[in-house]
Amino acid sequence: MIKVKKTVLWKDAFEAITHSLGRYIAIVLLIALGTFAFVGLKMAGPDMRATGSDFFEKQNLADVTVTSNYGLDKKDRDTIRNLPEVKESSFAYFQDVKNKRNNDTFRVFSNSGNLSKSELVKGRFPKRKNEIALTYMLDKKYRLGQKITFTNKGSLRKSTYTIVGFIRPSEYLDKTQIGQTNIGDGNLTGVALTTASAFSSPVYHISRVIFKDTTHLSPFDKTYRSLIYRDQKKLQTALNKNRKARYQKLVSQYQNEYRQRAAREMAERGIPVVASQIKVPKRHITYPSYTINSREESQGYSSYRADSERVEVLANVFPVFLFAVATLVSLTTMIRFVEEERINIGTLKALGYSNGSVAIKFLLYSSTAAIIGTALGASLGYTFLPDMIIKAYLANTTLGTAYQLHFAWEPLLISLVVALISTTVVSMFALHQTLREKPSALLLPKPPKNGSRILLEKIPFIWKHMSFSAKVTARNIFRYKSRMLMTIFGVAGCTGLLVMGFGIRDSLQGIGGIQYRDIQKNDIIALKNETVTKKQKNKLNNVLTSKNVKQTSAVQYQQMTKYIKNTGSTENVMLIAPKDTKSFGKSINLRDRKTKQKLDLSNNSVIISEKLATILDAQKGSRISLTDKQGKNHNFKVTGISEMYLGHYIFMSPSEYKKTIGKTYKTNAYLITVKKHSLAKKVSRDLIKTGAIQTVISNTANRDILSGFTGSLNEVIVILILISGMLAVVVIYNLTNINVAERIREISTIKVLGFYNNETTMYIYRETIILSLLGIIVGFGFGWWLHYFIITSLPPDQAMFDPNMYPMNFVLSALIPALITAVLALVVHRRIKNINMLDALSSMD
């Protein structure tokens, strides 16, 4: 064996990169795109959760809040504090008020101490009972030092306060959906903070609680939600034991007050009477109830968690197919590279170089492409992509802009391993096959593939009517089967990803119109007070029959819950039982999504919304169990599943309500449709002014929730569509480049035979066009399946997206690779024009 220096080998290895720089850059870009998408999407979710967790930890956000319709007395406070699972608790006051000068409504809280603190954004915290701090989102509308006067002051001592600061409340994350109230138009404008001394109340209005066993858990983990659900039930059970004594106390208090008042009135008339002898008339007194809300009940919190999880759904699917396409194209490129180097490999082996020495060039070429591509993609994947995604989602929250970007080794290492497999391992495998041949065989050009009859030749009717160029194209396509498959699958992968991206975009954009134009036609849900005077009832009837109201449905409306074990979340389910089932369709159109057939509420009907059916794995004939506010379970037999894109609903007739719930049917709410959507706020204000309405829920608010779900995700989808487009450019260019390089002597031969440049270009590029079209068609089917998979996995638990595919999606998804193919035809044409025919024909290859 001749011992030679390896300096020449290293020089030759670096020259291989510079001599085929376009191909090398293409491999780097393929790896970079896959790594960029994988790392970026994988890190965005954890970065979002880390940002949220850090904020919640700093503000010591409570695990649950406790409220009661009669406030929290000493016995309730002792019950909460003494529960073994409770680590820390605080008690505070709150009052909903309205600005006297405008229609702004606020929920004013007293400072709750160390739990659920607010972050100071500007100014200072209130120190005196006439000072107040408003949510920071109103700092453009109000200013420091400004005095603000409230109506409906309730338990507040004063009506006028001085604004001393602006705060970021930790309990309210959603910028648009703060909450409902029984004043103004039914929707809160903002949150405010003052001192405890500003309130005058014998009982506290809210308790904030942190449990012991959740201290070191991430608030976004399933384990955390499961433990909260368990401890929440224990706390609910403990507090419910206070209800009976509390009710008896209320009844006794009412009776004493009535007797004392009646005794005074009779004494004033000169009629002596003993108070205990006065007969007290019966009066409906609402039974005490306790409401315990976890963080999941906060719209902003649950949406933020769902957003971070939706990004990870994309991270587990999109980059996988991106990498798959990159791997296929890299495979073709590296195999072609090894074949190009056959003579050089034979020469080196003949000179006595070992197989390991020969492999240096290919190791350097493939491994540097993998490492550089991974490094380039990761550098943007850890910064640029998470930055864009998090900014898009934070725009809808009150968390501000101080988000965190983190580094994790796992996505980087996975990307590097995939990149090395796609390039280095593949090239080593191809090289191993070549190194097994003898140097004498390697020094000769690889014999061309033998021609063979193709399928079309066996169909004379078609074959005889094909032109010469068409026959040549058909034979060449089937002659190079591996390149044919790589081109089809490469273009199919890009097209499929585009179909998925555009499909998700369409699925997001269409649901708002379907939900609030075709299905939920009502604009307002108005919940009645439990006790309504005759005067209030008359005022309410005047509003309901006014010229601004188009349609009204009286219903039994109540909130039920369902604990989902596999996710650890508790879903709210709205039960609606209309008084008039025949006219109910004018308010909510119950229909099957696929057939559009209307679903009737007959006497034994129980119809549930489609997303609820999905998460409960329920179908027609299934039995489901839901829990009411008192913690009692009720079983229902599903008779139909209705199209619905936001919220969970269960609909039934009055007779079915009485049978399954076990209570006498009575209406407690109205579904109201106004003449014009712009009148919804005015009608809401009029309803609350009657005094008969407790809460107004506007569908305008629900539209904003749906927009929040879809708006941020739209920006992410645009990024994915751009990545898919870039992938298509690299894939089609690289495969076309390989095609031309492999057939350079063939091209030169037909040019010598007198083919014009345009004819020569089409001779070669016609195959690319046909294979690209086939790839686009295959990509349609692949993209359809991918879209369906993601669209059923992507939405949060309380929403679903439109799973239908629209024709324009396929048009756009085909147009992009078609345009790229057309533009690259110009590049190929220019290259073919500049081919030196004599050099190509005199070469060994």
mmCIF file of all heavy atoms in Angstrom, residues 741-767:
data_model
loop_
_atom_site.group_PDB
_atom_site.id
_atom_site.type_symbol
_atom_site.label_atom_id
_atom_site.label_comp_id
_atom_site.label_asym_id
_atom_site.label_seq_id
_atom_site.Cartn_x
_atom_site.Cartn_y
_atom_site.Cartn_z
ATOM 1 N N ALA A 741 -28.226 17.811 -14.426
ATOM 2 C CA ALA A 741 -26.845 17.371 -14.237
ATOM 3 C C ALA A 741 -26.656 15.920 -14.650
ATOM 4 O O ALA A 741 -25.623 15.550 -15.238
ATOM 5 C CB ALA A 741 -26.447 17.558 -12.770
ATOM 6 N N GLU A 742 -27.631 15.081 -14.367
ATOM 7 C CA GLU A 742 -27.531 13.663 -14.707
ATOM 8 C C GLU A 742 -27.546 13.427 -16.219
ATOM 9 O O GLU A 742 -27.001 12.442 -16.711
ATOM 10 C CB GLU A 742 -28.699 12.886 -14.072
ATOM 11 C CG GLU A 742 -28.504 12.546 -12.620
ATOM 12 C CD GLU A 742 -29.648 11.690 -12.094
ATOM 13 O OE1 GLU A 742 -30.720 11.684 -12.727
ATOM 14 O OE2 GLU A 742 -29.459 11.045 -11.057
ATOM 15 N N ARG A 743 -28.169 14.339 -16.931
ATOM 16 C CA ARG A 743 -28.420 14.092 -18.352
ATOM 17 C C ARG A 743 -27.742 15.129 -19.246
ATOM 18 O O ARG A 743 -28.225 15.449 -20.331
ATOM 19 C CB ARG A 743 -29.930 14.068 -18.580
ATOM 20 C CG ARG A 743 -30.609 12.988 -17.745
ATOM 21 C CD ARG A 743 -32.097 13.139 -17.711
ATOM 22 N NE ARG A 743 -32.708 12.952 -19.019
ATOM 23 C CZ ARG A 743 -34.014 13.144 -19.252
ATOM 24 N NH1 ARG A 743 -34.811 13.516 -18.268
ATOM 25 N NH2 ARG A 743 -34.500 12.959 -20.453
ATOM 26 N N ILE A 744 -26.598 15.636 -18.778
ATOM 27 C CA ILE A 744 -25.913 16.701 -19.496
ATOM 28 C C ILE A 744 -25.441 16.251 -20.885
ATOM 29 O O ILE A 744 -25.497 16.990 -21.858
ATOM 30 C CB ILE A 744 -24.729 17.249 -18.647
ATOM 31 C CG1 ILE A 744 -24.260 18.602 -19.194
ATOM 32 C CG2 ILE A 744 -23.597 16.248 -18.569
ATOM 33 C CD1 ILE A 744 -25.176 19.718 -18.842
ATOM 34 N N ARG A 745 -24.970 14.983 -20.987
ATOM 35 C CA ARG A 745 -24.509 14.474 -22.283
ATOM 36 C C ARG A 745 -25.696 14.242 -23.211
ATOM 37 O O ARG A 745 -25.615 14.457 -24.412
ATOM 38 C CB ARG A 745 -23.722 13.175 -22.088
ATOM 39 C CG ARG A 745 -22.446 13.377 -21.265
ATOM 40 C CD ARG A 745 -21.600 12.124 -21.212
ATOM 41 N NE ARG A 745 -20.932 11.890 -22.488
ATOM 42 C CZ ARG A 745 -20.851 10.702 -23.093
ATOM 43 N NH1 ARG A 745 -21.416 9.659 -22.534
ATOM 44 N NH2 ARG A 745 -20.209 10.566 -24.246
ATOM 45 N N GLU A 746 -26.802 13.792 -22.638
ATOM 46 C CA GLU A 746 -28.009 13.578 -23.445
ATOM 47 C C GLU A 746 -28.508 14.900 -24.015
ATOM 48 O O GLU A 746 -28.884 14.987 -25.183
ATOM 49 C CB GLU A 746 -29.082 12.934 -22.567
ATOM 50 C CG GLU A 746 -30.372 12.601 -23.287
ATOM 51 C CD GLU A 746 -31.429 12.041 -22.339
ATOM 52 O OE1 GLU A 746 -31.071 11.663 -21.198
ATOM 53 O OE2 GLU A 746 -32.607 12.002 -22.728
ATOM 54 N N ILE A 747 -28.469 15.940 -23.179
ATOM 55 C CA ILE A 747 -28.909 17.268 -23.620
ATOM 56 C C ILE A 747 -28.001 17.782 -24.723
ATOM 57 O O ILE A 747 -28.462 18.316 -25.749
ATOM 58 C CB ILE A 747 -28.921 18.250 -22.423
ATOM 59 C CG1 ILE A 747 -29.991 17.830 -21.402
ATOM 60 C CG2 ILE A 747 -29.189 19.669 -22.893
ATOM 61 C CD1 ILE A 747 -29.901 18.560 -20.089
ATOM 62 N N SER A 748 -26.691 17.605 -24.518
ATOM 63 C CA SER A 748 -25.726 18.061 -25.532
ATOM 64 C C SER A 748 -25.919 17.314 -26.844
ATOM 65 O O SER A 748 -25.814 17.899 -27.934
ATOM 66 C CB SER A 748 -24.302 17.848 -25.009
ATOM 67 O OG SER A 748 -24.086 18.580 -23.828
ATOM 68 N N THR A 749 -26.225 16.033 -26.756
ATOM 69 C CA THR A 749 -26.425 15.216 -27.963
ATOM 70 C C THR A 749 -27.594 15.729 -28.787
ATOM 71 O O THR A 749 -27.478 15.900 -30.017
ATOM 72 C CB THR A 749 -26.666 13.745 -27.573
ATOM 73 O OG1 THR A 749 -25.550 13.258 -26.844
ATOM 74 C CG2 THR A 749 -26.885 12.881 -28.815
ATOM 75 N N ILE A 750 -28.733 15.981 -28.124
ATOM 76 C CA ILE A 750 -29.894 16.425 -28.894
ATOM 77 C C ILE A 750 -29.704 17.852 -29.407
ATOM 78 O O ILE A 750 -30.281 18.222 -30.437
ATOM 79 C CB ILE A 750 -31.202 16.290 -28.089
ATOM 80 C CG1 ILE A 750 -31.190 17.192 -26.848
ATOM 81 C CG2 ILE A 750 -31.457 14.854 -27.692
ATOM 82 C CD1 ILE A 750 -32.522 17.206 -26.125
ATOM 83 N N LYS A 751 -28.884 18.644 -28.712
ATOM 84 C CA LYS A 751 -28.584 19.983 -29.224
ATOM 85 C C LYS A 751 -27.732 19.885 -30.490
ATOM 86 O O LYS A 751 -27.929 20.632 -31.452
ATOM 87 C CB LYS A 751 -27.873 20.828 -28.173
ATOM 88 C CG LYS A 751 -28.780 21.313 -27.050
ATOM 89 C CD LYS A 751 -28.091 22.307 -26.129
ATOM 90 C CE LYS A 751 -27.926 23.655 -26.805
ATOM 91 N NZ LYS A 751 -27.395 24.681 -25.896
ATOM 92 N N VAL A 752 -26.754 18.927 -30.484
ATOM 93 C CA VAL A 752 -25.916 18.705 -31.663
ATOM 94 C C VAL A 752 -26.758 18.212 -32.836
ATOM 95 O O VAL A 752 -26.519 18.541 -33.999
ATOM 96 C CB VAL A 752 -24.786 17.688 -31.336
ATOM 97 C CG1 VAL A 752 -24.087 17.215 -32.598
ATOM 98 C CG2 VAL A 752 -23.787 18.314 -30.395
ATOM 99 N N LEU A 753 -27.806 17.432 -32.514
ATOM 100 C CA LEU A 753 -28.687 16.906 -33.555
ATOM 101 C C LEU A 753 -29.587 17.984 -34.153
ATOM 102 O O LEU A 753 -30.342 17.711 -35.090
ATOM 103 C CB LEU A 753 -29.545 15.777 -32.990
ATOM 104 C CG LEU A 753 -28.797 14.482 -32.653
ATOM 105 C CD1 LEU A 753 -29.730 13.494 -31.959
ATOM 106 C CD2 LEU A 753 -28.215 13.847 -33.923
ATOM 107 N N GLY A 754 -29.551 19.204 -33.600
ATOM 108 C CA GLY A 754 -30.281 20.309 -34.205
ATOM 109 C C GLY A 754 -31.496 20.792 -33.445
ATOM 110 O O GLY A 754 -32.257 21.623 -33.949
ATOM 111 N N PHE A 755 -31.687 20.304 -32.219
ATOM 112 C CA PHE A 755 -32.816 20.802 -31.411
ATOM 113 C C PHE A 755 -32.562 22.256 -31.019
ATOM 114 O O PHE A 755 -31.446 22.635 -30.647
ATOM 115 C CB PHE A 755 -32.961 19.962 -30.143
ATOM 116 C CG PHE A 755 -33.736 18.689 -30.336
ATOM 117 C CD1 PHE A 755 -33.286 17.711 -31.211
ATOM 118 C CD2 PHE A 755 -34.909 18.453 -29.635
ATOM 119 C CE1 PHE A 755 -33.992 16.535 -31.393
ATOM 120 C CE2 PHE A 755 -35.622 17.274 -29.808
ATOM 121 C CZ PHE A 755 -35.161 16.317 -30.687
ATOM 122 N N TYR A 756 -33.595 23.084 -31.141
ATOM 123 C CA TYR A 756 -33.485 24.453 -30.659
ATOM 124 C C TYR A 756 -33.473 24.462 -29.121
ATOM 125 O O TYR A 756 -33.864 23.485 -28.478
ATOM 126 C CB TYR A 756 -34.654 25.306 -31.175
ATOM 127 C CG TYR A 756 -34.612 25.530 -32.666
ATOM 128 C CD1 TYR A 756 -35.552 24.920 -33.496
ATOM 129 C CD2 TYR A 756 -33.642 26.357 -33.244
ATOM 130 C CE1 TYR A 756 -35.533 25.120 -34.868
ATOM 131 C CE2 TYR A 756 -33.606 26.572 -34.611
ATOM 132 C CZ TYR A 756 -34.545 25.944 -35.420
ATOM 133 O OH TYR A 756 -34.503 26.134 -36.785
ATOM 134 N N ASN A 757 -33.010 25.616 -28.559
ATOM 135 C CA ASN A 757 -32.929 25.711 -27.081
ATOM 136 C C ASN A 757 -34.292 25.500 -26.423
ATOM 137 O O ASN A 757 -34.398 24.844 -25.390
ATOM 138 C CB ASN A 757 -32.351 27.072 -26.670
ATOM 139 C CG ASN A 757 -30.866 27.171 -26.964
ATOM 140 O OD1 ASN A 757 -30.144 26.183 -26.837
ATOM 141 N ND2 ASN A 757 -30.414 28.349 -27.367
ATOM 142 N N ASN A 758 -35.341 26.093 -27.027
ATOM 143 C CA ASN A 758 -36.687 25.932 -26.451
ATOM 144 C C ASN A 758 -37.128 24.471 -26.476
ATOM 145 O O ASN A 758 -37.715 23.957 -25.518
ATOM 146 C CB ASN A 758 -37.697 26.778 -27.222
ATOM 147 C CG ASN A 758 -37.497 28.268 -26.994
ATOM 148 O OD1 ASN A 758 -36.802 28.653 -26.060
ATOM 149 N ND2 ASN A 758 -38.107 29.092 -27.830
ATOM 150 N N GLU A 759 -36.824 23.793 -27.582
ATOM 151 C CA GLU A 759 -37.192 22.381 -27.712
ATOM 152 C C GLU A 759 -36.412 21.523 -26.721
ATOM 153 O O GLU A 759 -36.956 20.588 -26.119
ATOM 154 C CB GLU A 759 -36.936 21.895 -29.139
ATOM 155 C CG GLU A 759 -37.844 22.530 -30.173
ATOM 156 C CD GLU A 759 -37.461 22.126 -31.585
ATOM 157 O OE1 GLU A 759 -36.252 22.043 -31.883
ATOM 158 O OE2 GLU A 759 -38.372 21.873 -32.388
ATOM 159 N N THR A 760 -35.147 21.866 -26.561
ATOM 160 C CA THR A 760 -34.297 21.113 -25.635
ATOM 161 C C THR A 760 -34.786 21.284 -24.202
ATOM 162 O O THR A 760 -34.845 20.324 -23.420
ATOM 163 C CB THR A 760 -32.835 21.569 -25.737
ATOM 164 O OG1 THR A 760 -32.424 21.512 -27.100
ATOM 165 C CG2 THR A 760 -31.925 20.687 -24.890
ATOM 166 N N THR A 761 -35.123 22.510 -23.862
ATOM 167 C CA THR A 761 -35.620 22.781 -22.509
ATOM 168 C C THR A 761 -36.891 21.981 -22.243
ATOM 169 O O THR A 761 -37.036 21.333 -21.195
ATOM 170 C CB THR A 761 -35.906 24.283 -22.320
ATOM 171 O OG1 THR A 761 -34.693 25.019 -22.509
ATOM 172 C CG2 THR A 761 -36.441 24.568 -20.912
ATOM 173 N N MET A 762 -37.827 22.007 -23.190
ATOM 174 C CA MET A 762 -39.068 21.265 -22.993
ATOM 175 C C MET A 762 -38.836 19.753 -23.008
ATOM 176 O O MET A 762 -39.542 19.003 -22.343
ATOM 177 C CB MET A 762 -40.088 21.640 -24.077
ATOM 178 C CG MET A 762 -40.688 23.027 -23.883
ATOM 179 S SD MET A 762 -41.362 23.266 -22.193
ATOM 180 C CE MET A 762 -42.634 22.022 -22.168
ATOM 181 N N TYR A 763 -37.822 19.312 -23.772
ATOM 182 C CA TYR A 763 -37.485 17.879 -23.796
ATOM 183 C C TYR A 763 -37.163 17.390 -22.383
ATOM 184 O O TYR A 763 -37.570 16.301 -21.974
ATOM 185 C CB TYR A 763 -36.287 17.664 -24.725
ATOM 186 C CG TYR A 763 -35.729 16.259 -24.709
ATOM 187 C CD1 TYR A 763 -36.301 15.255 -25.478
ATOM 188 C CD2 TYR A 763 -34.620 15.943 -23.922
ATOM 189 C CE1 TYR A 763 -35.795 13.962 -25.465
ATOM 190 C CE2 TYR A 763 -34.107 14.654 -23.895
ATOM 191 C CZ TYR A 763 -34.697 13.669 -24.672
ATOM 192 O OH TYR A 763 -34.189 12.379 -24.655
ATOM 193 N N ILE A 764 -36.418 18.224 -21.649
ATOM 194 C CA ILE A 764 -36.031 17.868 -20.279
ATOM 195 C C ILE A 764 -37.116 18.267 -19.279
ATOM 196 O O ILE A 764 -37.511 17.494 -18.405
ATOM 197 C CB ILE A 764 -34.700 18.555 -19.898
ATOM 198 C CG1 ILE A 764 -33.557 17.983 -20.741
ATOM 199 C CG2 ILE A 764 -34.416 18.410 -18.404
ATOM 200 C CD1 ILE A 764 -33.236 16.536 -20.451
ATOM 201 N N TYR A 765 -37.634 19.486 -19.446
ATOM 202 C CA TYR A 765 -38.481 20.057 -18.388
ATOM 203 C C TYR A 765 -39.910 19.544 -18.449
ATOM 204 O O TYR A 765 -40.663 19.667 -17.484
ATOM 205 C CB TYR A 765 -38.478 21.588 -18.478
ATOM 206 C CG TYR A 765 -38.679 22.252 -17.136
ATOM 207 C CD1 TYR A 765 -37.700 22.174 -16.157
ATOM 208 C CD2 TYR A 765 -39.858 22.920 -16.828
ATOM 209 C CE1 TYR A 765 -37.871 22.770 -14.918
ATOM 210 C CE2 TYR A 765 -40.041 23.515 -15.584
ATOM 211 C CZ TYR A 765 -39.047 23.426 -14.635
ATOM 212 O OH TYR A 765 -39.221 24.004 -13.412
ATOM 213 N N ARG A 766 -40.299 18.945 -19.600
ATOM 214 C CA ARG A 766 -41.646 18.384 -19.702
ATOM 215 C C ARG A 766 -41.865 17.319 -18.626
ATOM 216 O O ARG A 766 -42.952 17.191 -18.060
ATOM 217 C CB ARG A 766 -41.865 17.795 -21.090
ATOM 218 C CG ARG A 766 -43.331 17.452 -21.377
ATOM 219 C CD ARG A 766 -43.512 16.909 -22.781
ATOM 220 N NE ARG A 766 -43.332 17.954 -23.779
ATOM 221 C CZ ARG A 766 -42.328 18.008 -24.653
ATOM 222 N NH1 ARG A 766 -41.380 17.075 -24.629
ATOM 223 N NH2 ARG A 766 -42.246 18.973 -25.535
ATOM 224 N N GLU A 767 -40.808 16.563 -18.332
ATOM 225 C CA GLU A 767 -40.896 15.538 -17.291
ATOM 226 C C GLU A 767 -41.154 16.172 -15.921
ATOM 227 O O GLU A 767 -41.972 15.684 -15.136
ATOM 228 C CB GLU A 767 -39.600 14.725 -17.242
ATOM 229 C CG GLU A 767 -39.295 13.987 -18.533
ATOM 230 C CD GLU A 767 -37.854 13.529 -18.580
ATOM 231 O OE1 GLU A 767 -37.270 13.327 -17.490
ATOM 232 O OE2 GLU A 767 -37.312 13.381 -19.694
#
